[in-house]
């Protein structure tokens, strides 16, 4: 009995089917690449414009810059200090409150109350900044002025509360409170969503082992939400650094560098100074405003890069 010879085509491995490239996938991929590249291109154009328009301010002589500044750094120094100082004070007040509100909504509030509180927080985030500024000068400044006098009377030995108290209540501390109120809704909304995404099995396991609700949050929720908390804080910091109208309404243009929180001599911020001075600026003064915007651009970029580094380090 003879067997038929095995042909090569019978032993050849079947060829893999070719991947079907859909037109929709190709269009979406191309659009994504173009959109991402466009963002980088626009960012590069903004940076180039700021640098080009800032060159005359960097090389300006004595008397060419506003406020009789000797050089550009003497001009922008108080503004940088006011920007960073007010944002720092705002974060000191906003971070604990945002963390507490987010934890209350996600883990403590009754089921019927939690959605209502979340809706109110989201609504506060949509309020225009000029409304917060008007509230700051009309309501908040008058309300906190007696409190400032109390701090000055009983804690005047601390440099933060020494000196003469502002008669209007429109101080750097008032502006920082307004910034904190503006940053709280954004930070709370982000933290709340991160807390709600914590693994339910880990929470139930901690409670089953006898942990209290706070111990469960501390061991299961907060470690999971570390990167989200940092991201929320950076969003709030970005809101505080770039805020314009609220600070412009509460504070007047000033070139002081002081840590006093209740006095009438207050530092101004870069964004508020640009908003108040841009309409009347010309020549080198206009270049100085653009250059101060470049400094704010660099500060924001550095802070965001630092935040991304912290998030990656904590995640890894």
């Amino acid at each position: 009995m003879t067997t038929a010879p095995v042909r090569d085509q019978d032993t050849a491995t079947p060829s893999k089917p070719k991947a079907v490239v859909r037109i929709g996938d190709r269009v979406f991929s191309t659009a994504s690449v173009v959109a991402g590249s466009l963002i980088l291109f626009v960012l590069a154009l903004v940076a180039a414009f700021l640098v080009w328009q800032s060159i005359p301010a960097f090389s300006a002589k004595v008397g060419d810059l506003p406020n009789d500044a000797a050089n550009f750094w003497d001009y922008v120094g108080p503004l940088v200090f006011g920007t960073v100082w007010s944002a720092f004070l705002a974060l000191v007040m906003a971070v604990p409150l945002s963390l507490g509100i987010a934890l209350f909504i996600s883990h403590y509030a009754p089921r019927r109350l939690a959605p209502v509180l979340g809706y109110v927080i989201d609504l506060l985030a949509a309020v225009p900044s000029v409304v917060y500024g008007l509230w700051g000068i009309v309501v908040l400044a008058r309300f906190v002025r007696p409190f400032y006098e109390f701090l000055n009377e009983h804690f005047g030995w601390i440099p933060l509360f020494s000196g003469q108290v502002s008669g209007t209540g429109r101080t750097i501390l008032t502006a920082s409170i307004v910034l904190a109120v503006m940053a709280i809704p954004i930070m709370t909304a982000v933290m709340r969503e991160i807390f709600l995404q914590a693994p339910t099995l880990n929470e139930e396991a901690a409670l089953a082992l006898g942990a209290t609700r706070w111990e469960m949050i501390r061991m299961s929720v907060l470690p999971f939400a570390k990167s989200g908390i940092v991201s929320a804080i950076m969003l709030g910091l970005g809101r505080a650094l770039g805020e314009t109208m609220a600070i412009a309404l509460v504070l007047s243009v000033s070139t002081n560098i002081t840590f006093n929180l209740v006095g009438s001599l207050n530092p101004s911020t870069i964004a508020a100074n640009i908003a108040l001075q841009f309409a009347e600026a010309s020549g080198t003064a206009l270049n100085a405003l653009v250059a101060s915007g470049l400094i704010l651009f660099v500060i924001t970029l550095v802070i965001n890069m630092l935040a991304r580094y912290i998030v990656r380090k904590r995640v890894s």
Side-chain angles (χ1 to χ4, degrees):
M1 181 175 179
T2 60
T3 58
V6 180
R7 292 178 296 178
D8 294 340
Q9 61 181 5
D10 295 335
T11 59
T13 57
S15 60
K16 295 182 179 179
K18 295 182 179 180
V20 179
V21 180
R22 298 180 180 179
I23 298 177
D25 295 339
R26 181 175 298 177
V27 171
F28 179 77
S29 176
T30 304
S32 301
V33 173
V34 171
S37 303
L38 183 62
I39 292 175
L40 296 177
F41 179 71
V42 172
L43 186 64
L45 287 180
V46 172
F49 165 78
L50 292 175
V51 172
W52 177 259
Q53 294 294 325
S54 301
I55 293 177
F58 292 144
S59 59
K61 300 179 181 179
V62 179
D64 294 339
L65 294 172
N67 305 325
D68 297 330
N71 51 60
F72 172 74
W73 301 110
D74 184 48
Y75 165 76
V76 78
L79 299 176
V80 173
F81 170 80
T83 302
V84 176
W85 180 231
S86 61
F88 171 77
L89 293 174
L91 285 185
V92 169
M93 294 179 282
V95 170
L97 290 175
S98 300
L99 188 61
I101 296 172
L103 286 175
F104 177 76
I105 294 175
S106 60
H107 288 82
Y108 287 94
R111 291 185 177 180
R112 294 183 178 180
L113 182 61
V116 177
L117 293 178
Y119 175 76
V120 172
I121 292 297
D122 295 338
L123 185 63
L124 289 175
V127 175
S129 59
V130 66
V131 176
Y132 285 110
L134 291 174
W135 169 76
I137 62 176
V138 175
V139 178
L140 182 62
R142 299 178 182 178
F143 177 78
V144 298
R145 184 172 58 188
F147 178 67
Y148 292 166
E149 295 176 352
F150 172 82
L151 291 176
N152 179 260
E153 181 179 356
H154 294 84
F155 300 96
W157 50 275
I158 302 177
L160 296 176
F161 312 117
S162 61
Q164 185 178 0
V165 180
S166 173
T168 61
R170 296 167 62 177
T171 67
I172 189 66
L173 182 57
T174 304
S176 300
I177 295 175
V178 174
L179 290 179
V181 173
M182 295 175 63
I184 283 175
I186 300 176
M187 298 169 60
T188 302
V190 175
M191 292 182 185
R192 178 195 64 200
E193 296 301 324
I194 296 297
F195 294 156
L196 291 175
Q197 294 177 9
T200 306
L201 292 178
N202 293 351
E203 298 179 3
E204 294 176 351
L207 294 174
L209 291 174
T212 63
R213 181 170 297 186
W214 165 243
E215 290 175 341
M216 177 270 294
I217 292 174
R218 183 169 55 86
M219 293 185 297
S220 301
V221 178
L222 294 182
F224 171 81
K226 281 183 179 181
S227 60
I229 293 174
V230 175
S231 301
I233 293 174
M234 291 302 109
L235 284 176
L237 180 58
R239 181 72 185 271
L241 287 174
E243 181 51 44
T244 302
M245 290 307 302
I247 300 298
L249 290 174
V250 176
L251 297 179
S252 58
V253 177
S254 176
T255 58
N256 299 297
I257 297 180
T258 176
F259 289 95
N260 189 282
L261 301 179
V262 298
S264 57
L265 298 177
N266 299 284
S268 185
T269 64
I270 294 177
N273 181 71
I274 293 175
L276 294 174
Q277 300 292 331
F278 191 84
E280 301 178 356
S282 61
T284 308
L286 181 60
N287 296 122
L289 293 178
V290 177
S292 62
L294 175 63
I295 300 300
L296 181 59
F297 178 85
V298 173
I299 292 174
T300 307
L301 184 63
V302 170
I303 289 177
N304 279 276
M305 293 174 61
L306 180 62
R308 293 191 64 86
Y309 171 77
I310 295 175
V311 170
R312 287 182 179 181
K313 188 175 181 181
R314 288 184 179 276
V315 172
S316 59

